[in-house]
Amino acid sequence: MLDEKILKILRSNQDSYVSGEEICKTAGVSRTAIWKHMERLRTDGYEIDASPHLGYRLVTVPDSLIPSEIKWNLKTKILGKEVISYNKLGSTNDLAYELAEKNAKEGTVVFAEEQTKGKGRHGRNWVSPPKSGIYFSVILKPAIPPSEIPRITLLSAVSVAKAIRAASGLEAMIKWPNDVLVHGKKLCGILTEMKAEQDKIDFVIVGIGINVNAAIKNLPKGATSIKEELHAAISRVELARKILEILDENYLKFKKEGFDPIIDEWKALTEMLGARIKISLPNRTFEGLAHDIDADGSLLVRLDSGIVEKVSSGDVVMVR
Amino acid sequence: MLDEKILKILRSNQDSYVSGEEICKTAGVSRTAIWKHMERLRTDGYEIDASPHLGYRLVTVPDSLIPSEIKWNLKTKILGKEVISYNKLGSTNDLAYELAEKNAKEGTVVFAEEQTKGKGRHGRNWVSPPKSGIYFSVILKPAIPPSEIPRITLLSAVSVAKAIRAASGLEAMIKWPNDVLVHGKKLCGILTEMKAEQDKIDFVIVGIGINVNAAIKNLPKGATSIKEELHAAISRVELARKILEILDENYLKFKKEGFDPIIDEWKALTEMLGARIKISLPNRTFEGLAHDIDADGSLLVRLDSGIVEKVSSGDVVMVR
């Protein structure tokens, strides 16, 4: 708490020194305690210059997914009021799920710099090399039945794609249901999990994994990173904040205006509709034309017979 | 294990004495250990007569929801291979959910003689007086998307209604989505909970609470018990076994033949279709004619305007 107060004072004077006396007065901290706080901030990666005569000056802030960075200037109403960060974690989704079961607040976000058991869909693995991606999970409690959970996934995909575009300029596109691609290669995966009664969701965990500054050699085949596509690294903190802000905005829009505006945005961000696709289900594989997105978030596929089939799961490949 | 072996020997000779020597030989237990096993069985409620010359004789078995009783002669393929019983538990659904998260096998059943925090739908309470009801939860892992979870609830309601009819002769009827009534009063509630990804259920917990031999004064208003309606107590163990057997059978039928045969049975067991009903949703209340059950388990209600509305949640009251 005091660390954050001191950080705020330093931040609002980032180009100049602030005297120890002023920090003591404004933050309400004793002269002798200042050093301890400065040391802790340095441990978190903040570079702080200390001059005996001038006082303290914030030189650089770390590009780390820590609460003090994520929450700085974060413009959200629900998301990220509570941010929990780990250097290393099994899976952010598993931890967020546990917290939600213990009644954690809606909007709580769990970040990890590295996941040792990062989760993908259907028990798959999400490769999560340290300090080079954004791996986080958000607790949401939408008042919808479980059948509408695909809406939350699509809403999240729209938000991530828009945030990536804003933060990097890359033309991020969505592949139904839960991937974000750049130049046809996978940049981001979304894993939506929930606890629900038959007609009421208790909570949803939206897990988002993005390859940001990862080297291509550390990623699975078919995947890419923002750095790889942009030929430059970007700030992970800024992208994470952007995603939280846009996700927050879209979630509130969804609650207020329903799903239609989200579907429209989704459609504008995909190259899939109209394309020929192959869908693999556990027991069969078929091809068709990606026709439209249904009101509940399902994919409508027009088979060669002319019949339109509604697909709510499965792996999709574009056929060229 | 040895207890169950000894019990089996006694059971297959229930009207006669079995010599200690024979038990030792057949069960592979030492002469000196027999007493210990007999004492433990007596603690579980088995009345065992011991005669110095004749040996041991099983006089009565307890009407307790313990594994040795539930599993005795249980004709199931999936359900009840693993039975866990508690004298007192917070909620069987919560424990079964925990076990399922730790990868418990499909078909595992958790019984409690008493629940201190018995759960109903939407955070409500399920009154669970000790030793007079059947409170249990089953772990299922159907390969269906979460949108189809109402099917599991309807399938369970059909199974319970049929088992109650078989065990008591009472004309149990189903009220959509998850109640079983006798003479218009509530006898049983079903709470279906799940953990799921967007398109794949990890597991479902089907929680079933039945008022069997409870005195009406120990039950909430509007509720009744089998004893109250029948003017006689029935064996809780036999009813519990019956439910597991029919649920097992219907679950396998559902896996093999799909949901249609279940819907047909469901329709035959309800007085609701064709009746005028009032539906309370969180934000509105409306009346209409209960028209049909949809393929996904939703209720189709025909409004006075002629429009048919699909209802997947809400509280339903029959209007007279």
Side-chain angles (χ1 to χ4, degrees):
Chain A
M1 224 53 247
L2 265 178
D3 284 4
E4 288 195 20
K5 252 188 192 167
I6 292 170
L7 196 54
K8 198 174 166 185
I9 298 167
L10 292 175
R11 271 194 133 123
S12 38
N13 296 279
Q14 202 161 349
D15 293 325
S16 54
Y17 284 87
V18 192
S19 71
E21 201 187 336
E22 197 183 324
I23 295 176
C24 291
K25 226 176 61 190
T26 318
V29 57
S30 78
R31 202 67 201 238
T32 47
I34 285 198
W35 257 104
K36 197 186 61 189
H37 291 291
M38 292 300 171
E39 273 319 295
R40 203 152 51 212
L41 287 170
R42 283 178 178 129
T43 310
D44 280 348
Y46 293 92
E47 200 184 325
I48 297 166
D49 190 22
S51 148
H53 299 296
L54 301 167
Y56 298 93
R57 185 173 69 92
L58 182 61
V59 183
T60 59
V61 299
D63 189 30
S64 300
L65 308 170
I66 51 178
S68 55
E69 282 306 295
I70 297 292
K71 289 165 91 168
W72 174 251
N73 242 334
L74 183 70
K75 293 171 199 71
T76 56
K77 292 218 164 58
I78 298 179
L79 266 59
K81 296 297 164 196
E82 185 82 38
V83 173
I84 301 158
S85 297
Y86 283 77
N87 257 320
K88 200 184 222 178
L89 193 61
S91 143
T92 58
N93 254 42
D94 285 351
L95 185 75
Y97 199 99
E98 264 177 51
L99 294 173
E101 281 196 306
K102 289 177 192 146
N103 231 346
K105 263 195 288 190
E106 178 169 65
T108 300
V109 189
V110 176
F111 281 94
E113 290 286 4
E114 179 182 0
Q115 293 186 110
T116 53
K117 289 178 181 175
K119 287 166 76 179
R121 280 171 72 207
H122 301 182
R124 287 171 207 155
N125 183 34
W126 183 265
V127 176
S128 311
K131 300 252 175 204
S132 55
I134 299 177
Y135 321 117
F136 70 104
S137 299
V138 180
I139 300 174
L140 297 179
K141 305 187 177 180
I144 57 173
S147 56
E148 290 180 12
I149 193 184
R151 295 178 167 195
I152 301 293
T153 308
L154 297 198
L155 187 158
S156 304
V158 164
S159 306
V160 171
K162 283 180 71 175
I164 289 174
R165 283 167 176 245
S168 73
L170 289 170
E171 289 215 340
M173 302 300 285
I174 303 172
K175 195 185 108 187
W176 184 92
N178 65 343
D179 291 343
V180 177
L181 312 180
V182 168
H183 306 140
K185 280 171 285 181
K186 190 161 167 175
L187 201 63
C188 161
I190 298 171
L191 173 64
T192 321
E193 296 186 286
M194 68 173 152
K195 181 173 186 178
E197 289 182 33
Q198 131 153 12
D199 56 357
K200 187 181 160 288
I201 287 177
D202 292 343
F203 57 79
V204 177
I205 308 298
V206 178
I208 297 174
I210 306 174
N211 307 323
V212 185
N213 298 326
I216 198 97
K217 69 171 167 33
N218 294 328
L219 297 174
K221 215 185 132 218
T224 189
S225 70
I226 292 179
K227 187 179 177 188
E228 178 73 18
E229 300 301 319
L230 200 64
H231 307 294
I234 67 165
S235 159
R236 294 183 303 138
V237 167
E238 275 173 33
L239 176 55
R241 279 201 290 246
K242 201 61 165 171
I243 296 170
L244 291 178
E245 286 172 357
I246 299 182
L247 186 54
D248 188 81
E249 187 190 323
N250 280 334
Y251 184 58
L252 291 168
K253 195 194 282 177
F254 167 61
K255 285 193 151 189
K256 213 172 146 187
E257 303 169 32
F259 192 51
D260 287 351
I262 309 295
I263 287 200
D264 292 343
E265 286 205 77
W266 193 95
K267 287 180 184 171
L269 286 166
T270 191
E271 296 170 314
M272 243 178 104
L273 298 183
R276 192 158 180 86
I277 56 173
K278 191 160 92 177
I279 293 148
S280 304
L281 299 178
N283 50 352
R284 68 194 177 105
T285 296
F286 61 96
E287 284 194 22
L289 229 56
H291 180 64
D292 205 352
I293 292 293
D294 202 15
D296 65 5
S298 302
L299 182 65
L300 299 174
V301 183
R302 196 207 304 238
L303 309 182
D304 294 340
S305 62
I307 291 171
V308 174
E309 185 149 346
K310 189 168 156 171
V311 178
S312 67
S313 77
D315 290 313
V316 177
V317 186
M318 311 248 281
V319 181
R320 277 150 219 274
Chain B
M1 227 49 247
L2 266 178
D3 284 4
E4 286 193 22
K5 254 191 191 166
I6 292 171
L7 195 54
K8 199 176 167 185
I9 297 168
L10 292 174
R11 271 194 134 124
S12 39
N13 296 279
Q14 203 162 347
D15 291 326
S16 54
Y17 283 87
V18 191
S19 72
E21 202 186 335
E22 197 182 324
I23 297 176
C24 291
K25 226 178 57 189
T26 319
V29 57
S30 79
R31 200 70 201 236
T32 46
I34 287 199
W35 257 103
K36 199 185 63 190
H37 291 291
M38 292 300 170
E39 274 316 297
R40 203 152 51 211
L41 287 169
R42 284 180 177 128
T43 310
D44 279 349
Y46 293 92
E47 201 183 324
I48 298 166
D49 191 21
S51 148
H53 298 294
L54 301 168
Y56 299 93
R57 185 175 68 92
L58 181 60
V59 184
T60 58
V61 300
D63 189 29
S64 299
L65 307 170
I66 51 178
S68 54
E69 282 306 297
I70 297 294
K71 288 165 93 169
W72 175 250
N73 242 334
L74 183 70
K75 293 169 198 73
T76 56
K77 292 217 165 59
I78 299 179
L79 266 59
K81 297 298 163 197
E82 185 81 40
V83 173
I84 300 157
S85 298
Y86 283 78
N87 258 319
K88 202 185 219 175
L89 193 63
S91 143
T92 58
N93 254 43
D94 284 352
L95 185 73
Y97 198 98
E98 265 177 51
L99 294 174
E101 282 195 305
K102 288 174 192 146
N103 232 348
K105 263 196 287 190
E106 177 169 66
T108 299
V109 189
V110 177
F111 280 94
E113 290 286 3
E114 179 182 1
Q115 292 185 111
T116 53
K117 287 179 182 174
K119 286 165 79 179
R121 282 170 70 207
H122 301 181
R124 287 171 206 153
N125 184 34
W126 183 265
V127 176
S128 312
K131 301 254 173 202
S132 55
I134 298 177
Y135 320 117
F136 70 103
S137 299
V138 180
I139 299 174
L140 297 178
K141 303 185 178 180
I144 57 173
S147 55
E148 289 180 13
I149 194 186
R151 295 178 166 196
I152 301 293
T153 307
L154 297 196
L155 187 159
S156 305
V158 164
S159 307
V160 171
K162 283 181 73 176
I164 290 174
R165 283 169 175 243
S168 73
L170 289 170
E171 290 215 339
M173 302 300 285
I174 304 172
K175 195 186 110 185
W176 186 91
N178 66 343
D179 291 343
V180 177
L181 312 181
V182 168
H183 305 141
K185 281 171 286 181
K186 189 162 169 175
L187 200 63
C188 162
I190 297 171
L191 174 63
T192 321
E193 296 186 286
M194 67 173 153
K195 181 173 185 176
E197 290 182 31
Q198 130 154 8
D199 56 356
K200 186 179 161 293
I201 286 178
D202 291 342
F203 58 80
V204 177
I205 308 299
V206 179
I208 297 174
I210 305 175
N211 308 322
V212 185
N213 297 326
I216 197 99
K217 68 171 169 30
N218 294 329
L219 298 174
K221 218 184 130 218
T224 190
S225 69
I226 292 179
K227 187 180 178 188
E228 178 72 18
E229 299 301 319
L230 201 64
H231 307 296
I234 67 164
S235 159
R236 293 184 302 138
V237 167
E238 277 173 30
L239 176 55
R241 279 199 292 243
K242 202 62 167 168
I243 297 170
L244 290 179
E245 285 171 358
I246 300 183
L247 187 54
D248 188 81
E249 187 190 324
N250 281 333
Y251 184 59
L252 290 168
K253 193 193 285 176
F254 167 61
K255 285 192 151 187
K256 212 173 147 187
E257 303 170 32
F259 192 50
D260 286 351
I262 309 294
I263 287 198
D264 292 341
E265 286 206 77
W266 193 95
K267 285 179 184 171
L269 285 166
T270 190
E271 297 170 315
M272 244 179 106
L273 298 183
R276 193 160 179 85
I277 57 174
K278 191 161 92 178
I279 292 147
S280 304
L281 300 177
N283 50 353
R284 69 194 176 104
T285 296
F286 61 95
E287 284 194 22
L289 229 55
H291 179 63
D292 204 353
I293 293 291
D294 202 13
D296 65 4
S298 302
L299 182 65
L300 299 174
V301 183
R302 194 206 305 235
L303 309 182
D304 295 339
S305 62
I307 291 169
V308 173
E309 185 150 345
K310 190 170 158 168
V311 179
S312 66
S313 78
D315 292 313
V316 177
V317 186
M318 312 248 279
V319 181
R320 278 151 219 272

